[in-house]
Amino acid sequence: VTARVDFADWPFMAKLADWIVGAHMGILFGIVNQLLLAATAVALIVVIVLGYRMWWRRRPTRTTGLTLPAGPRRGVLAGLRPHEAVLVTLALAGFGYFAPLFGVSLAVFVAVDVALGRWQTRAARQ
Amino acid sequence: MIDDLFLRWIVTALFVFSALECGYAIVTGRRDWTHVEAHLLHFVMAVAMAVMAWPRGATLPTTGPMVFFGLAAIWFLAIMFTTARHRAVGGYHAFMMLAMAWMYAVMNGSLLPGQAMSGHHDAQGSAVAMNMPGMNMAAGAGASSGPGYPAWIDALDWLCTVVFAVAAVWWLYRYFAERQADPGRRHIGIMCQAMMAAGMAVMFGVML
């Protein structure tokens, strides 16, 4: 052993990262945190299933055959009140940082969606 | 530099997008020289910050850029005091340029009073001082901005982090508000300011 670095000597960001990892893995706060995490996991599954159910129920039903539902209209985020849009953006950015696969795929999706929107707007003007 | 590779790419993307927007504004925007000069300074700043996030960037000289951004801060202050409109925004731009000069001064490792890194100037000193906390524990043990740094340097780094984090939220709010008020325009310039402020907050945040 050539050196020793105690937790108290860690920089603030390192402490924060350690606390977040501990909270995320159920190490911090014991059984209370584990129950909370389990409830969060169940709630997430419920929200995902309900989301797909809502999406499916919105599909056109008067046509014959299998018709998939349409996607949400473009510009929903900008249609929110500014402080709501800011909160959504910050939440997504924060979550995207801690879940990089989600963050990168969301960023690519937004970039493609913005590009498609611009292209459609330009085509509509012409 | 930022050791966390994902965060490094995020900051790089924020500043590269900002630099592209500034370049686009120079080419297609108003032709008066104050407009071009302001966007040119923001362009240089965005490129400098994108470079600074990478290991090679931390080895570059710091004195020249520090003087450059110090002069840029004076220029924005002069614009602020000589024009009647947008004084608060002009003051913010001056603060941002001053923060750039400050960051280069901290990276230098020997320019500021109290920095105990004599003999570790520019390249080596900056590499030690700017390592991402949590990733390189040995370098940052016991101090935030660098070994032996006085508390006032940390305090100013905290101040810059908080100011730019608040500024990022404010610019983002303004982007959505202006977009609702005038949906016909793109308002990319405001989004670019939000991105630059967010990038600055991260760069100062990793120094804590």
Side-chain angles (χ1 to χ4, degrees), chain B residues 117 123 127 142 176:
Chain B
M117 293 187 65
F176 285 117

mmCIF file of all heavy atoms in Angstrom, chain B residues 117 123 127 142 176:
data_model
loop_
_atom_site.group_PDB
_atom_site.id
_atom_site.type_symbol
_atom_site.label_atom_id
_atom_site.label_comp_id
_atom_site.label_asym_id
_atom_site.label_seq_id
_atom_site.Cartn_x
_atom_site.Cartn_y
_atom_site.Cartn_z
ATOM 1 N N MET B 117 1.744 25.152 -7.235
ATOM 2 C CA MET B 117 2.161 24.188 -8.268
ATOM 3 C C MET B 117 3.339 24.727 -9.064
ATOM 4 O O MET B 117 3.434 24.509 -10.262
ATOM 5 C CB MET B 117 0.998 23.879 -9.208
ATOM 6 C CG MET B 117 -0.106 23.129 -8.531
ATOM 7 S SD MET B 117 -1.325 22.629 -9.709
ATOM 8 C CE MET B 117 -0.386 21.487 -10.704
ATOM 9 N N ALA B 123 1.264 22.519 -19.389
ATOM 10 C CA ALA B 123 0.827 21.184 -19.788
ATOM 11 C C ALA B 123 0.593 20.257 -18.606
ATOM 12 O O ALA B 123 -0.510 19.798 -18.364
ATOM 13 C CB ALA B 123 1.874 20.593 -20.712
ATOM 14 N N ALA B 127 -3.027 19.302 -16.726
ATOM 15 C CA ALA B 127 -3.514 17.933 -16.794
ATOM 16 C C ALA B 127 -3.894 17.439 -15.404
ATOM 17 O O ALA B 127 -4.879 16.734 -15.229
ATOM 18 C CB ALA B 127 -2.445 17.032 -17.407
ATOM 19 N N GLY B 142 -7.880 15.742 -1.317
ATOM 20 C CA GLY B 142 -7.714 16.820 -0.356
ATOM 21 C C GLY B 142 -7.994 18.186 -0.906
ATOM 22 O O GLY B 142 -8.060 19.149 -0.164
ATOM 23 N N PHE B 176 -37.936 28.390 -25.172
ATOM 24 C CA PHE B 176 -39.304 27.884 -25.303
ATOM 25 C C PHE B 176 -40.316 29.034 -25.306
ATOM 26 O O PHE B 176 -41.311 28.987 -26.037
ATOM 27 C CB PHE B 176 -39.609 26.899 -24.173
ATOM 28 C CG PHE B 176 -38.958 25.554 -24.362
ATOM 29 C CD1 PHE B 176 -38.016 25.083 -23.456
ATOM 30 C CD2 PHE B 176 -39.282 24.762 -25.454
ATOM 31 C CE1 PHE B 176 -37.410 23.853 -23.644
ATOM 32 C CE2 PHE B 176 -38.676 23.527 -25.646
ATOM 33 C CZ PHE B 176 -37.734 23.078 -24.738
#
